[in-house]
Amino acid sequence: MRIAVFGTGEVGSAVAGKLKSLGHDVVFGSRHPRPDQDGIPVLSHSEAAEHGEWLVNALHGEDAMAILPPLPLAGKLLIDVGNFQSVITGPLTHTLGESLQNALPDTRVVKTLNFVSAQLMGAPERLSAPHTMFIAANDAGARAAVIELLQDFGWRDILDLGDLTACRAMESLASMWIRLYETLGHVYFNIAIVRDPV
């Protein structure tokens, strides 16, 4: 599959590298196009948007809202792994997932991977105990498709939270991640939802 990853930082690089290892045709979208980064072409944002059947937002929320809505993304699936920077130091007043969907009504936005470190996104097996990944989207078919991709990434406990109103809970965890990182001193942690069968 042709997939464009917007953002060449730690998160974007981790996701793009995993996608490439799985055999996908991956490019980066960047303000600074160049021949490649880690063997992956770095295109302009508009070129990357044209390339990708699926897209990954690995930008900070504020940047994503400036960069993505003007691009030709109609009919595509957008996996949003980002958070607003403002939520780290202030209250969550609006969510990135819902904001992107409102700005891109003809794009299927799927929220996931926004609470784990880049080191775990494509390698959940690095933690010794089972742990949970959340997913949300207004389009049930898009959720199902991205769940399959998460399974290819190695995720085994994937909890479908339904439509994008779930972003209000998912993105509120961003400040918790920062506090846990400051407390633990490393990035190798995640949440596990322990539930009994009903």
Side-chain angles (χ1 to χ4, degrees):
M1 184 184 303
R2 298 192 312 276
I3 303 178
V5 177
F6 292 89
T8 58
E10 187 176 40
V11 171
S13 296
V15 173
K18 183 64 176 185
L19 290 167
K20 182 181 178 183
S21 76
L22 293 171
H24 295 287
D25 179 0
V26 185
V27 301
F28 285 113
S30 172
R31 293 187 183 94
H32 307 291
R34 49 197 181 275
D36 72 88
Q37 177 175 302
D38 301 323
I40 298 172
V42 184
L43 309 181
S44 69
H45 291 134
S46 58
E47 290 170 331
E50 291 176 8
H51 173 91
E53 301 167 271
W54 284 22
L55 316 154
V56 178
N57 170 45
L59 301 165
H60 292 310
E62 290 81 358
D63 292 333
M65 289 305 300
I67 291 167
L68 298 180
L71 297 175
L73 305 184
K76 298 176 185 272
L77 187 152
L78 171 63
I79 302 172
D80 172 33
V81 306
N83 296 291
F84 282 118
Q85 285 288 91
S86 58
V87 93
I88 304 303
T89 56
L92 178 68
T93 58
H94 56 286
T95 71
L96 178 57
E98 290 175 292
S99 297
L100 285 170
Q101 186 64 86
N102 289 337
L104 296 162
D106 298 318
T107 302
R108 297 181 295 161
V109 175
V110 180
K111 187 78 181 188
T112 194
L113 291 173
N114 72 300
F115 181 70
V116 292
S117 64
Q119 291 79 1
L120 295 178
M121 288 180 176
E125 70 279 1
R126 289 185 178 180
L127 296 188
S128 59
H131 52 115
T132 306
M133 179 50 57
F134 304 118
I135 187 169
N138 292 343
D139 185 306
R143 288 200 305 273
V146 175
I147 284 172
E148 289 187 12
L149 181 65
L150 291 172
Q151 290 169 337
D152 290 343
F153 274 30
W155 289 94
R156 295 295 170 258
D157 184 20
I158 303 167
L159 190 53
D160 184 344
L161 297 181
D163 67 38
L164 287 172
T165 59
C167 292
R168 300 167 198 178
M170 295 168 70
E171 296 182 29
S172 67
L173 293 172
S175 57
M176 172 63 85
W177 190 94
I178 295 295
R179 181 53 62 95
L180 288 170
Y181 169 68
E182 292 171 346
T183 301
L184 298 172
H186 62 80
V187 298
Y188 293 97
F189 60 86
N190 189 25
I191 289 174
I193 305 301
V194 180
R195 62 265 196 198
D196 286 334
V198 293

